[in-house]
C-alpha cells in the first residue's frame, strides 16, 4: 500500500463514526428487541446469566385504549463501578419483533421520561433494588404477555454481558371500557420533557368526569395535592411546580363520576437544560466535505512532490523550450 492510500485509509477511519467501536458506556434509550439493546458485545455465546431477581407487575384492571402502567422490579443488582443498568420491557423473548409495540401497546413514557421500551439507568453504590415504570396505552381487548429484562456488565474482568429476565411473565387481560367509566380522553397525551424554569400547565380532556383531583411527587416520595379547575365542559387544568435544576417529577389525576372512580398512572416529566438540536445529516455532510478537502490537499501535495522529484532527477526539464536561461 503506497503512502497516499495509507493516509487516506487512516483519515477515513478517523472520520467514520463508530466503526469497530464497542459500547461499554451504553447507547441510551431506544426501541430494542431482547438481549443486546445495541449495547452488548454482539456475540451471544459470551452472554452470562445475571444474579438479579426480576419481577413485573401491572394494575388489576387494564382497559382498551386507556393509559396504564407496568413496573419492572429488580433486586440483588450487581453492575460495574459505573452502575449502568439496561432495562427492557418486552412482549416476547425471541430476539425479533418482541417490543411492546409489536404486540399493540403504545409506550407513552418510561422512568427516564422517554417513550422507549429500553432505557439505561445508573444505580447508585449500595442500592440493591430499583423500580422502572412504563406508562402505556393498552391494545385491543385480549390477553397479552409482557416481560421485564436487564443486561449489564461486571467487574470480574471477563468483559461478558450479563442478561436476566423476569422469573414469571406478566399476563394482562385487556378489558372493554365500561360505558360510564370516568377517564382521560383518548386524545390526551401527557408531556414528558420540559426546560428548566418553564411553567407547565396540564390541560386534560376527560370523559364522564364530574370531579378531578391532581397530585405530584418527586422520586417516589410523598404526594402533594394540586388545585385543578374545569375550564370547559370536561376539560380540566392545573399547574405543576417549576423546576430550577435537572430533575424528574411524577404526577397523576384522580377521576370521579357516575362510574367507579379511577386513578391514572403516574406520569413522568423530566426537566433539562435547554439543548442545541444536532442535525446528523449536516454533521455527516460536513465530515464528507472535510474528507474530500483533505483528499484534494494530499493529491495536490503528491503531484507537487512527484514534480519536484522529477526535476531533481532530470535538470533539463527546467530549461524552457527553445532556449537557455
Amino acid at each position: 500500500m503506497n503512502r497516499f492510500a495509507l493516509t487516506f485509509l487512516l483519515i477515513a477511519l478517523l472520520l467514520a463514526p463508530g466503526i469497530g467501536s464497542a459500547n461499554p458506556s451504553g447507547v441510551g434509550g431506544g426501541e430494542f428487541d431482547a438481549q443486546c439493546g445495541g449495547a452488548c458485545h454482539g456475540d451471544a455465546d459470551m452472554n452470562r446469566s445475571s444474579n438479579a431477581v426480576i419481577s413485573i407487575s401491572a394494575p388489576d384492571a387494564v382497559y382498551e385504549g386507556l393509559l396504564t402502567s407496568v413496573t419492572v422490579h429488580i433486586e440483588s443488582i450487581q453492575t460495574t463501578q459505573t452502575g449502568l443498568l439496561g432495562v427492557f420491557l418486552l412482549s416476547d423473548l425471541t430476539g425479533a419483533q418482541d417490543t411492546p409495540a409489536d404486540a399493540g401497546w403504545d409506550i407513552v413514557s418510561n422512568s427516564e421520561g422517554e417513550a422507549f421500551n429500553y432505557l439505561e439507568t445508573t444505580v447508585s453504590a449500595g442500592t440493591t433494588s430499583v423500580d422502572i415504570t412504563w406508562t402505556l396505552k393498552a391494545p385491543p381487548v385480549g390477553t397479552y404477555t409482557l416481560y421485564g429484562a436487564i443486561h449489564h456488565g461486571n467487574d470480574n474482568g471477563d468483559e461478558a454481558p450479563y442478561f436476566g429476565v423476569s422469573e414469571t411473565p406478566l399476563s394482562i387481560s385487556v378489558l372493554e371500557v365500561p360505558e360510564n367509566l370516568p377517564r382521560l380522553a383518548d386524545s390526551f397525551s401527557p408531556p414528558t420533557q420540559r426546560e428548566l424554569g418553564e411553567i407547565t400547565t396540564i390541560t386534560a380532556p376527560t370523559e364522564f368526569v364530574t370531579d378531578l383531583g391532581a397530585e405530584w411527587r418527586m422520586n417516589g416520595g410523598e404526594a402533594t395535592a394540586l388545585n385543578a379547575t374545569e375550564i370547559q365542559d370536561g376539560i380540566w387544568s392545573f399547574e405543576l411546580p417549576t423546576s430550577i435544576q435537572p430533575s424528574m417529577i411524577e404526577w397523576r389525576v384522580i377521576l370521579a363520576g357516575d362510574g367507579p372512580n379511577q386513578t391514572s398512572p403516574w406520569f413522568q416529566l423530566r426537566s433539562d437544560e435547554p439543548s442545541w438540536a444536532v442535525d446528523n445529516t449536516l454533521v455527516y455532510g460536513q465530515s464528507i466535505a472535510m474528507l474530500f478537502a483533505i483528499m484534494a490537499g494530499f493529491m495536490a501535495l503528491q503531484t507537487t512532490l512527484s514534480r519536484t522529484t522529477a526535476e531533481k532527477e532530470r535538470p533539463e526539464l527546467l530549461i524552457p523550450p527553445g532556449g537557455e536561461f
Side-chain angles (χ1 to χ4, degrees), residues 204 206 209-212 227-238:
T206 64
V209 172
T210 58
D211 190 27
L212 182 143
N227 293 322
T229 304
E230 189 174 20
I231 57 176
Q232 294 182 29
D233 186 22
I235 300 178
W236 300 77
S237 177
F238 54 90

Side-chain angles (χ1 to χ4, degrees), residues 181-214:
L181 185 75
R183 56 187 182 267
L184 293 166
D186 291 344
S187 60
F188 176 71
S189 180
T192 59
Q193 304 277 343
R194 64 174 178 173
E195 294 184 358
L196 297 183
E198 183 179 277
I199 297 176
T200 304
T201 300
I202 301 297
T203 302
T206 64
E207 298 179 18
F208 303 102
V209 172
T210 58
D211 190 27
L212 182 143

Side-chain angles (χ1 to χ4, degrees), residues 25-194:
S25 298
V27 294
E31 283 293 309
F32 296 120
D33 293 318
Q35 291 200 351
C36 278
C40 62
H41 298 260
D43 184 356
D45 292 335
M46 291 183 65
N47 287 352
R48 303 288 187 269
S49 294
S50 173
N51 291 326
V53 179
I54 307 160
S55 59
I56 181 170
S57 61
D60 294 334
V62 177
Y63 296 106
E64 177 184 10
L66 300 188
L67 297 172
T68 190
S69 61
V70 173
T71 298
V72 174
H73 178 71
I74 308 152
E75 294 183 346
S76 302
I77 301 172
Q78 294 179 330
T79 67
T80 59
Q81 290 183 351
T82 64
L84 191 65
L85 178 69
V87 188
F88 301 84
L89 183 65
L90 302 167
S91 60
D92 200 345
L93 298 176
T94 60
Q97 295 185 333
D98 54 13
T99 70
D102 293 319
W105 298 88
D106 183 11
I107 296 178
V108 176
S109 66
N110 58 35
S111 291
E112 295 295 312
E114 300 172 327
F116 303 129
N117 78 309
Y118 172 76
L119 62 84
E120 291 169 347
T121 187
T122 300
V123 181
S124 302
T127 300
T128 58
S129 67
V130 66
D131 288 333
I132 303 295
T133 298
W134 280 263
T135 300
L136 308 97
K137 181 172 288 188
V141 173
T143 301
Y144 298 84
T145 300
L146 291 175
Y147 298 82
I150 64 170
H151 73 165
H152 57 83
N154 198 293
D155 286 330
N156 59 15
D158 62 8
E159 298 185 357
Y162 286 75
F163 182 76
V165 65
S166 49
E167 295 181 340
T168 304
L170 175 65
S171 180
I172 301 179
S173 295
V174 177
L175 309 174
E176 186 176 350
V177 181
E179 177 59 32
N180 64 345
L181 185 75
R183 56 187 182 267
L184 293 166
D186 291 344
S187 60
F188 176 71
S189 180
T192 59
Q193 304 277 343
R194 64 174 178 173

